[in-house]
Amino acid sequence: MTTRFTDPVRFTDPVRTVIPHTLARHLADACDDSVEGHTWSARNIAAARAIWAEDTAGAVPAALGRHTSRTEPDARGWTVLALPARMDDATLMRVAAAALSTLGAPFTSIDAGTGLWIGGETRPDADAASFGGTGAQGLHIDAPNVEHVPDYTALLVLRPDPAGGGASLIGDLRAALAETPECDRELLRRPVYFEGRADRLSGVGAPRLPFPILEHLDPGGRERVRWAAKAVTDPRNSAHRAVLKRFDATLARHTRAVALGRGQLMVCDQTRIAHGRTALGEQSGLADGTRRVLMQTKVAYDASAPAHNLHTAAGDRRG
Ligand SMILES: O=C(O)CCC(=O)C(=O)O
Ligand SMILES: [Fe+2]
């Protein structure tokens, strides 16, 4: 991990699309926590979508459609939903899954035996830059090193860092790519890069190590950036460090931070947006049961899902 994100970062305060309490209750009551394999059950997805279809205001599918749908070429690729903070943790996770099913099928790529969601309370003894660690986490997409990169990743805050850190970073991969010269793109397209390991993952196909950082998603069309800041310092990439550092510096110019509160769900389209976090605040003196709690799941794009089939975007148009 580089130290850049311990420097001041540019904060942004996006419009958060609110899921009202009555609607959230309705969604939570219609769904349960059952998964089939690694995917939220088909019954849950259908039950949630039936409720979204009745939701006359339609602000949530509209916000997801406008900001993160693949059918909106200018969509910024990420959004934040605000769920009712007074609901309990299990209910929040269920409502969040119901919201994500407007984009596709929620699934877990890391089978921790905990159902759809992985995560929990920050562990002071974990590797600082890891999931659940206390340090900054460089910009990355989740599972950059597999055949089928998850389409969307979603982070749900159940308890923000009481010490005031742990903001979410958002890096605009397309904006960075637009400033990357063709000679660097050519280097990034070579399938020679390593990052992490890809063991025991589900729903994402075979490991892809090494992999190309930049690849075409459709012939001659959109490109994906399989980005992970840890690749810059990975010794396996020492022959390619210069181009990785250049892209890292470009992406830093297109990075902002968002402070998420309890019940807030950040959704990122992994073909456009990398995410990360700022370091947590001073943790000494914080008792177990009081530290930051973050949960994570993924979504597989489904063209028939409600957010991709809105002809007129209803609801809040400010975001
Ligand atoms: O802690 C966070 O805010 C992000 C964690 C994350 O993105 C990850 O571990 O992949
Ligand atoms: Fe991540």
Side-chain angles (χ1 to χ4, degrees):
M1 178 53 220
T2 63
T3 53
R4 181 177 322 110
F5 295 120
T6 58
D7 296 343
V9 287
R10 199 156 48 109
F11 271 79
T12 193
D13 191 16
V15 170
R16 293 159 172 83
T17 304
V18 172
I19 305 186
H21 193 275
T22 314
L23 176 58
R25 187 75 264 159
H26 196 182
L27 290 162
D29 289 346
C31 303
D32 61 25
D33 303 324
S34 56
V35 286
E36 280 155 9
H38 50 266
T39 303
W40 208 35
S41 74
R43 195 205 68 80
N44 276 330
I45 293 172
R49 288 185 187 171
I51 290 174
W52 292 119
E54 283 169 18
D55 173 37
T56 47
V60 170
L64 287 168
R66 188 166 69 256
H67 295 308
T68 60
S69 174
R70 303 275 169 83
T71 52
E72 297 272 346
D74 298 327
R76 68 185 185 200
W78 63 278
T79 198
V80 178
L81 304 181
L83 283 56
R86 66 178 191 273
M87 289 183 139
D88 64 53
D89 290 358
T91 307
L92 286 173
M93 286 188 263
R94 215 178 277 172
V95 176
L100 295 170
S101 64
T102 65
L103 288 171
F107 75 101
T108 179
S109 58
I110 301 173
D111 191 357
T114 53
L116 182 62
W117 295 89
I118 57 161
E121 184 169 7
T122 295
R123 289 164 290 122
D125 56 341
D127 168 14
S130 70
F131 189 49
T134 58
Q137 197 178 45
L139 286 163
H140 63 280
I141 61 167
D142 290 332
N145 51 12
V146 295
E147 205 176 352
H148 305 300
V149 175
D151 292 300
Y152 301 95
T153 191
L155 297 173
L156 174 65
V157 172
L158 293 178
R159 190 190 301 127
D161 177 16
S168 292
L169 294 170
I170 293 162
D172 188 335
L173 293 166
R174 294 209 177 170
L177 191 56
E179 288 180 10
T180 301
E182 183 52 36
C183 52
D184 278 2
R185 291 180 190 218
E186 199 276 314
L187 293 173
L188 293 170
R189 281 189 197 107
R190 297 183 185 175
V192 295
Y193 300 93
F194 289 87
E195 200 284 310
R197 294 170 19 200
D199 307 333
R200 293 181 293 122
L201 296 179
S202 40
V204 293
R208 206 151 164 215
L209 282 162
F211 58 89
I213 299 270
L214 185 58
E215 69 179 348
H216 281 288
L217 281 172
D218 7 76
R222 297 172 304 145
E223 286 187 292
R224 165 202 303 294
V225 188
R226 292 174 177 258
W227 183 251
K230 283 181 181 168
V232 180
T233 49
D234 191 312
R236 293 171 292 179
N237 299 325
S238 55
H240 318 290
R241 187 148 296 144
V243 68
L244 293 171
K245 277 183 155 173
R246 287 194 292 274
F247 189 82
D248 192 51
T250 307
L251 186 57
R253 292 199 298 277
H254 295 283
T255 297
R256 52 187 63 215
V258 181
L260 300 173
R262 173 171 171 82
Q264 297 190 358
L265 175 71
M266 186 173 85
V267 185
C268 298
D269 177 349
Q270 297 223 98
T271 65
R272 305 175 211 214
I273 295 294
H275 63 280
R277 71 162 180 259
T278 65
L280 275 65
E282 180 53 52
Q283 300 288 294
S284 60
L286 292 179
D288 288 352
T290 66
R291 296 184 197 93
R292 179 180 192 247
V293 178
L294 180 82
M295 306 304 293
Q296 185 192 81
T297 195
K298 311 290 189 312
V299 184
Y301 178 87
D302 168 3
S304 69
H308 311 302
N309 293 286
L310 298 166
H311 300 295
T312 53
D316 183 355
R317 302 198 65 89
R318 286 171 297 149

